[in-house]
Amino acid sequence: MTHRASFVLAVLVLACQNPQNAGPPAAKSGPEVKASEPPPAKTDPHTANPQAANPHAMGPHTGAVPAEETSRPAREAVNPHPVTPSGKTREEVVPGLNYKVPEEWTKKPGSSAMRLAEFILPGPGGDAELAVYRFAGGGGDAKSNVHRWRTQFTKADGTPLGDSDGEVQEVSKPPLKVTLVDLTGTYVAQVTPGASERYKDPNYRMLAAIVEGAGDPYFFKAVGPETTLAVWKPTFSTFADALTVVP
């Protein structure tokens, strides 16, 4: 072999052994890289909490579902006895208003700042109670209160009183307007406002008067056995006659 041929052969051998001509290196092995996971799906609060869609289903502070409503046993008659009204009255006064009540009514001190006065009304069905209310800011108009009072009674078949049930009469005695209300049925009002426990007193009655025109309205509300309040119905029929505004 000639010297030139030996030189060419040597160059070819070196070229085959040069790593730069061997192509790209194989990828180095290393820690396994996991494919990125999608972010967790957001929880639908209405799915996780079936009550969340109902703002009235949850308590305002604890989030607890209010207890199921229950009914008290019907109240027993207290001191039932026949009463014949004498027709005699006495004058009573609350801030801003004078009125008269039968002599047979027993007065009690108001049990709260909103209850200006309370009375026991005797009768054959047992004692009834009357309270005189006044709420700072008004306590709602006559129509809304009469509607609310109707929801506190049911008929004998358990259906609520309708807008035409009972008696509602407006009496004008300037500057006053008096709304007289007479409702009868099973009394199912809440024992206290917002409570889950309700009364369930059959053959009950409400006689009430809403007095407007002397600042915040006055509410005279008697509730008790129907036969007892039947005795005092005439008193409410002429209630507005004796009202006077105190300057």
Side-chain angles (χ1 to χ4, degrees), residues 105-153:
W105 293 8
T106 302
K107 185 176 183 180
K108 303 192 305 180
S111 59
S112 71
M114 293 180 296
R115 289 191 172 207
L116 305 180
E118 296 180 45
F119 299 89
I120 299 297
L121 286 56
D127 290 347
E129 295 185 358
L130 180 144
V132 184
Y133 299 88
R134 198 184 197 195
F135 304 97
D141 60 15
K143 183 177 180 180
S144 61
N145 277 282
V146 172
H147 174 76
R148 179 172 57 84
W149 290 343
R150 281 191 171 109
T151 68
Q152 296 176 354
F153 284 87

Side-chain angles (χ1 to χ4, degrees), residues 195-238:
S196 61
E197 188 178 25
R198 289 182 177 269
Y199 293 109
K200 192 173 184 180
D201 298 318
N203 302 315
Y204 254 51
R205 192 170 186 173
M206 176 191 296
L207 295 176
I210 303 172
V211 182
E212 300 172 285
D216 292 333
Y218 298 85
F219 300 89
F220 292 76
K221 181 181 175 184
V223 177
E226 193 277 331
T227 53
T228 293
L229 289 182
V231 173
W232 304 112
K233 169 70 172 179
T235 299
F236 277 81
S237 297
T238 59

